[in-house]
C-alpha cells in the first residue's frame, strides 16, 4: 500500500500494518467527534510515526498514486473534523 503523509512524502507500507493503522484511525474519529484534541494529536502522531518507522520511503522523483493520504501533524481539530469522520482515512 502507498501512503502519503502531507508535508513529509510517500511510503510503501506492507498490508500487514493496515489493521493497526485502521484501529488508530477509528480512535482518531472518536477523539475528533468528542472534541478531545490532546488524544487526537497523540494518535495522529502515532499513525505518522508508525508509517515512517515501518514503511519504505519512496523517492520524491517517483510519481505513484497514493492509496491513503494522511494529513500533517499540525492540522487543527476543526480541519480534522472534515477528514476524520465516518470511517476515517482507512475504509473498512
Amino acid at each position: 500500500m502507498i501512503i502519503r503523509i502531507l508535508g513529509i512524502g510517500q511510503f510503501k507500507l506492507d498490508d500487514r500494518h493496515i489493521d493497526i493503522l485502521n484501529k488508530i484511525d477509528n480512535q482518531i474519529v472518536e477523539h475528533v467527534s468528542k472534541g478531545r484534541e490532546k488524544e487526537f494529536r497523540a494518535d495522529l502522531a502515532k499513525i505518522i510515526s508508525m508509517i515512517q518507522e515501518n514503511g519504505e520511503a519512496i523517492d520524491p522523483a517517483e510519481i505513484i498514486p497514493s492509496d491513503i493520504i494522511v494529513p500533517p501533524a499540525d492540522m487543527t481539530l476543526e480541519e480534522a473534523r472534515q477528514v476524520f469522520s465516518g470511517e476515517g482515512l482507512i475504509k473498512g
Side-chain angles (χ1 to χ4, degrees), residues 20-21 24 27-28 39-54:
I20 296 167
L21 288 179
I24 300 168
Q27 290 173 323
I28 291 173
E39 293 86 349
F40 149 68
R41 293 208 175 283
D43 279 345
L44 180 56
K46 189 184 296 184
I47 279 184
I48 291 171
S49 175
M50 185 178 169
I51 294 166
Q52 289 178 302
E53 291 172 11
N54 295 292

Side-chain angles (χ1 to χ4, degrees), residues 29-40 77 81:
V29 170
E30 184 175 336
H31 298 322
V32 169
S33 72
K34 295 183 177 180
R36 298 188 304 229
E37 185 168 3
K38 182 178 177 184
E39 293 86 349
F40 149 68
L77 187 60
R81 285 188 176 103

Side-chain angles (χ1 to χ4, degrees), residues 1-4 13-29 43-44 47-48 50-51 67-71 83-92:
M1 175 164 291
I2 305 299
I3 301 175
R4 174 175 299 283
L13 188 69
D14 191 290
D15 287 346
R16 65 188 164 106
H17 298 286
I18 297 305
D19 287 340
I20 296 167
L21 288 179
N22 191 28
K23 184 176 180 178
I24 300 168
D25 179 44
N26 290 337
Q27 290 173 323
I28 291 173
V29 170
D43 279 345
L44 180 56
I47 279 184
I48 291 171
M50 185 178 169
I51 294 166
D67 298 303
I68 299 171
I69 299 175
V70 176
V83 176
F84 293 100
S85 62
E87 292 187 32
L89 299 175
I90 303 166
K91 308 303 178 211

